[in-house]
Structure formats: structure tokens, C-alpha cells
Amino acid sequence: MKIGYACSNLELSTIFIDDYLADCLPVYPLIYIWSLRRLMDGECATLQEISERFRITEGDVIKAWQHWEKEGLVSISSGKNGMEITFGPVRPRQTSVVLLSDNTAKAAESPPQNVATRPNYTTQELACYRSESSDIKRLFSLAEKTLGKLLSYNDMNVIFGFHDWLRLPIDVIEFLLEYCEETDHRSLRYIEKCALDWAERGIADKSSAAEYVQNFDLNYRTILRHTGQSAAYPTPAQRKYMNKWLHELNMPLELITEAIDRCVEKINKFDKKYTEKILTEWHKNGILTKEAVAAADNDFVGKKTSPRPAAKNRFVNFKQRDIDYSRYEKLERAYIDQKLNAN
């Protein structure tokens, strides 16, 4: 580091306070001021020293200097010892003015970054991160081991995005790479899908990642295996119905797999709705163990095979008529005799 302008003492410009303290992470001004103070004593601060001082990664230190370079307060160059920072004088920030419909003026601000889209980093940026940050260098080396190849520009762009874009800590990304290697998932697309899922769930440390992986292996993967999709990472739609079975219905894993097996046995394929119907019925009846399922099955079979009471004849309750058949017989005989005598 060096100072690129005449300065005999450390003065914090009011321009710096008024124009540059806002619109950046709070640690960025601290890095700027602390490093400038070190230079006033003739000492040069390294990336590692700044990283340890403010308890951030070396990659974040690099991003701080890139921020100040963009603001025009420092310039970055490559020296024999790596990145070299040259401080420049503090000048008022240049802002463009946009006239609004009500004739008021407003300083134009750059639109916020679209966090839904992974940014693209230049080859120079990636090379700088790799050479200046031991964390990023170690991360890229582990990624090469996991993928089994040298990283291309696109590979580095995606992997660095896990940290810079998704804000996953370096040790969490390393754990993710090691986990994917152990489970033989070496596709970068698969790894990125996992990283997006972890970021969405707010996994911020290695212990949380380990707990999530354990639950995933125990629950999701077991369910997927029974549905015939053991090699797939669950989609959001799949996670939605599996979470319903596991958490809303609070069904044990063994009953979920039992329901899937019964579904496949009945219709020769896995069907989400049919399986959920079975689980919902068990949940409604308070059936939460395999023993309870067996008891319910036996009860159903018993009711089905037990003799039913004979159905009553619907005419039984009618009052039977007393018919005098001998009287009808006498009338019929008199009628026949009358016909014979007439002839």
C-alpha cells in the first residue's frame, strides 16, 4: 500500500463522511480508515491482517477495495507481492441529476442488484480473488477435486457465486463440495441446485449444514428411493408434499414408506395423491405405528368376514289374510254343473 498524495497527518475528510459512509457495508469505511492509519505509520496492511482484524474473509476484503476503487478513492494494481492499493485524494462524489415531473431533482442511483440472477464475474476478478484470497484459492482447489477436472471460467464463476452471490460461508461451501463428492454427485449443476437450496434455507454454518444433510439423507432420500427416484435431488414440488407428510401430518418415516409400498402394490406405480390419501386416513384415525396399522388391518378383515344378520323378508310384517279355499272350490263346482245342465 502507498499514499498517492501529499499528507502529513491523518485527517478524515468531511466529504468522506458526507458522501461515502452510506451506500456500502459498514465494514468498508473501517477497512479504508484503518488501512490509511497503518500507512501513516509507515506500515503496510496485508489482506490477511485486515481479514483477521475485522473477522471477515479475504474475499470480502478484496470486495471492499473494489468498492473504493469504483468510488474513485483508491486504485488497484498488481505488484510483486500481489494486490497493491494506492490511496487518492477524497473528492466530492459525482452524481447525475434526473429531473422529475414535479420539477424536483434527485441524485440518480444505480438499481439494486437482482439477487435472483447469478452475476457474471470477469476473468480478471476471478484471477484476482484466486491469487489474493487463500480462502478462495482453497475453495477452487477443493472444487477441482470434487469435479475431477481443472476449473473452467464458467466453473469458477458458478462456484465463486456461492459465496459472493448466495452469501454462503466458505466452510459451508467446502462442506457442500465434500458431501457431493462422498455421495458421488459431481455435476456442477447438481451442486449449484444444492447451494441454492441451502441459501434459501438460511444455512449459515457447518453444523447447520451437517444437520440438514443428515435429515435429508434420513427422510427425503428414503422417500425418494421408495418412489423410484433415488438419484434425484428433490424438486420444490417434491419437498412440498414430503414436508406435508413429515411435518403437517407428523407421520413417521416408516409409515410413509409403508403407504408408498401399498400404493405401488395396489396400482403398480407411485402416485402422490393415492399415497397421501392413505396417510391422511391413518392420521385421521390416530394411526402412528406399524403395529397400529396391522391392528387396523385385522379389524377391517374381521368386519369383512364376520357373518351378517339375515335380511328380513319385506313381506314378513304384513298381516296374513285368512282365505277360505273350500268356498271357492264349491263355487267353481256349482258353476261347472250349471254349464253341463244347460247343454
PDB file of all heavy atoms in Angstrom, residues 125-136:
ATOM      1  N   GLU A 125     -11.272 -10.519 -12.372  1.00  0.00           N
ATOM      2  CA  GLU A 125     -11.757 -10.560 -10.997  1.00  0.00           C
ATOM      3  C   GLU A 125     -11.516 -11.933 -10.375  1.00  0.00           C
ATOM      4  O   GLU A 125     -11.013 -12.036  -9.248  1.00  0.00           O
ATOM      5  CB  GLU A 125     -13.257 -10.235 -10.968  1.00  0.00           C
ATOM      6  CG  GLU A 125     -13.596  -8.783 -11.180  1.00  0.00           C
ATOM      7  CD  GLU A 125     -15.086  -8.540 -11.185  1.00  0.00           C
ATOM      8  OE1 GLU A 125     -15.827  -9.329 -11.808  1.00  0.00           O
ATOM      9  OE2 GLU A 125     -15.529  -7.569 -10.551  1.00  0.00           O
ATOM     10  N   LEU A 126     -11.871 -12.973 -11.127  1.00  0.00           N
ATOM     11  CA  LEU A 126     -11.705 -14.326 -10.595  1.00  0.00           C
ATOM     12  C   LEU A 126     -10.231 -14.645 -10.360  1.00  0.00           C
ATOM     13  O   LEU A 126      -9.878 -15.277  -9.360  1.00  0.00           O
ATOM     14  CB  LEU A 126     -12.330 -15.339 -11.552  1.00  0.00           C
ATOM     15  CG  LEU A 126     -13.860 -15.261 -11.677  1.00  0.00           C
ATOM     16  CD1 LEU A 126     -14.359 -16.197 -12.779  1.00  0.00           C
ATOM     17  CD2 LEU A 126     -14.526 -15.623 -10.355  1.00  0.00           C
ATOM     18  N   ALA A 127      -9.376 -14.210 -11.284  1.00  0.00           N
ATOM     19  CA  ALA A 127      -7.940 -14.442 -11.115  1.00  0.00           C
ATOM     20  C   ALA A 127      -7.415 -13.695  -9.899  1.00  0.00           C
ATOM     21  O   ALA A 127      -6.578 -14.205  -9.150  1.00  0.00           O
ATOM     22  CB  ALA A 127      -7.194 -14.001 -12.373  1.00  0.00           C
ATOM     23  N   CYS A 128      -7.940 -12.502  -9.666  1.00  0.00           N
ATOM     24  CA  CYS A 128      -7.509 -11.704  -8.514  1.00  0.00           C
ATOM     25  C   CYS A 128      -7.946 -12.372  -7.212  1.00  0.00           C
ATOM     26  O   CYS A 128      -7.155 -12.487  -6.275  1.00  0.00           O
ATOM     27  CB  CYS A 128      -8.095 -10.306  -8.619  1.00  0.00           C
ATOM     28  SG  CYS A 128      -7.623  -9.209  -7.265  1.00  0.00           S
ATOM     29  N   TYR A 129      -9.197 -12.816  -7.167  1.00  0.00           N
ATOM     30  CA  TYR A 129      -9.682 -13.496  -5.967  1.00  0.00           C
ATOM     31  C   TYR A 129      -8.868 -14.749  -5.682  1.00  0.00           C
ATOM     32  O   TYR A 129      -8.523 -15.046  -4.538  1.00  0.00           O
ATOM     33  CB  TYR A 129     -11.155 -13.874  -6.126  1.00  0.00           C
ATOM     34  CG  TYR A 129     -12.111 -12.721  -5.990  1.00  0.00           C
ATOM     35  CD1 TYR A 129     -13.011 -12.422  -7.000  1.00  0.00           C
ATOM     36  CD2 TYR A 129     -12.118 -11.934  -4.844  1.00  0.00           C
ATOM     37  CE1 TYR A 129     -13.898 -11.364  -6.879  1.00  0.00           C
ATOM     38  CE2 TYR A 129     -13.001 -10.874  -4.709  1.00  0.00           C
ATOM     39  CZ  TYR A 129     -13.888 -10.593  -5.739  1.00  0.00           C
ATOM     40  OH  TYR A 129     -14.753  -9.548  -5.604  1.00  0.00           O
ATOM     41  N   ARG A 130      -8.569 -15.498  -6.741  1.00  0.00           N
ATOM     42  CA  ARG A 130      -7.842 -16.754  -6.556  1.00  0.00           C
ATOM     43  C   ARG A 130      -6.419 -16.507  -6.069  1.00  0.00           C
ATOM     44  O   ARG A 130      -5.889 -17.271  -5.242  1.00  0.00           O
ATOM     45  CB  ARG A 130      -7.828 -17.544  -7.859  1.00  0.00           C
ATOM     46  CG  ARG A 130      -7.235 -18.940  -7.722  1.00  0.00           C
ATOM     47  CD  ARG A 130      -7.511 -19.777  -8.947  1.00  0.00           C
ATOM     48  NE  ARG A 130      -7.235 -21.190  -8.685  1.00  0.00           N
ATOM     49  CZ  ARG A 130      -7.606 -22.187  -9.482  1.00  0.00           C
ATOM     50  NH1 ARG A 130      -8.279 -21.922 -10.588  1.00  0.00           N
ATOM     51  NH2 ARG A 130      -7.319 -23.436  -9.180  1.00  0.00           N
ATOM     52  N   SER A 131      -5.794 -15.454  -6.561  1.00  0.00           N
ATOM     53  CA  SER A 131      -4.390 -15.205  -6.190  1.00  0.00           C
ATOM     54  C   SER A 131      -4.260 -14.476  -4.857  1.00  0.00           C
ATOM     55  O   SER A 131      -3.285 -14.675  -4.132  1.00  0.00           O
ATOM     56  CB  SER A 131      -3.698 -14.391  -7.291  1.00  0.00           C
ATOM     57  OG  SER A 131      -4.329 -13.120  -7.426  1.00  0.00           O
ATOM     58  N   GLU A 132      -5.254 -13.651  -4.511  1.00  0.00           N
ATOM     59  CA  GLU A 132      -5.132 -12.822  -3.315  1.00  0.00           C
ATOM     60  C   GLU A 132      -5.816 -13.396  -2.082  1.00  0.00           C
ATOM     61  O   GLU A 132      -5.486 -13.032  -0.961  1.00  0.00           O
ATOM     62  CB  GLU A 132      -5.706 -11.424  -3.596  1.00  0.00           C
ATOM     63  CG  GLU A 132      -4.982 -10.663  -4.686  1.00  0.00           C
ATOM     64  CD  GLU A 132      -3.531 -10.380  -4.330  1.00  0.00           C
ATOM     65  OE1 GLU A 132      -3.241 -10.313  -3.124  1.00  0.00           O
ATOM     66  OE2 GLU A 132      -2.707 -10.233  -5.242  1.00  0.00           O
ATOM     67  N   SER A 133      -6.797 -14.268  -2.282  1.00  0.00           N
ATOM     68  CA  SER A 133      -7.521 -14.817  -1.138  1.00  0.00           C
ATOM     69  C   SER A 133      -7.197 -16.298  -0.968  1.00  0.00           C
ATOM     70  O   SER A 133      -7.478 -17.110  -1.849  1.00  0.00           O
ATOM     71  CB  SER A 133      -9.034 -14.638  -1.341  1.00  0.00           C
ATOM     72  OG  SER A 133      -9.756 -15.340  -0.344  1.00  0.00           O
ATOM     73  N   SER A 134      -6.608 -16.627   0.157  1.00  0.00           N
ATOM     74  CA  SER A 134      -6.282 -18.035   0.410  1.00  0.00           C
ATOM     75  C   SER A 134      -7.554 -18.871   0.546  1.00  0.00           C
ATOM     76  O   SER A 134      -7.563 -20.059   0.205  1.00  0.00           O
ATOM     77  CB  SER A 134      -5.437 -18.150   1.688  1.00  0.00           C
ATOM     78  OG  SER A 134      -6.137 -17.621   2.812  1.00  0.00           O
ATOM     79  N   ASP A 135      -8.649 -18.260   1.031  1.00  0.00           N
ATOM     80  CA  ASP A 135      -9.917 -18.978   1.159  1.00  0.00           C
ATOM     81  C   ASP A 135     -10.458 -19.385  -0.209  1.00  0.00           C
ATOM     82  O   ASP A 135     -10.882 -20.520  -0.421  1.00  0.00           O
ATOM     83  CB  ASP A 135     -10.960 -18.116   1.881  1.00  0.00           C
ATOM     84  CG  ASP A 135     -10.645 -17.918   3.351  1.00  0.00           C
ATOM     85  OD1 ASP A 135      -9.959 -18.785   3.921  1.00  0.00           O
ATOM     86  OD2 ASP A 135     -11.074 -16.912   3.931  1.00  0.00           O
ATOM     87  N   ILE A 136     -10.469 -18.425  -1.136  1.00  0.00           N
ATOM     88  CA  ILE A 136     -10.989 -18.711  -2.475  1.00  0.00           C
ATOM     89  C   ILE A 136     -10.078 -19.688  -3.209  1.00  0.00           C
ATOM     90  O   ILE A 136     -10.547 -20.588  -3.925  1.00  0.00           O
ATOM     91  CB  ILE A 136     -11.138 -17.409  -3.285  1.00  0.00           C
ATOM     92  CG1 ILE A 136     -12.100 -16.459  -2.576  1.00  0.00           C
ATOM     93  CG2 ILE A 136     -11.611 -17.696  -4.692  1.00  0.00           C
ATOM     94  CD1 ILE A 136     -13.487 -17.025  -2.369  1.00  0.00           C
TER      95      ILE A 136
END
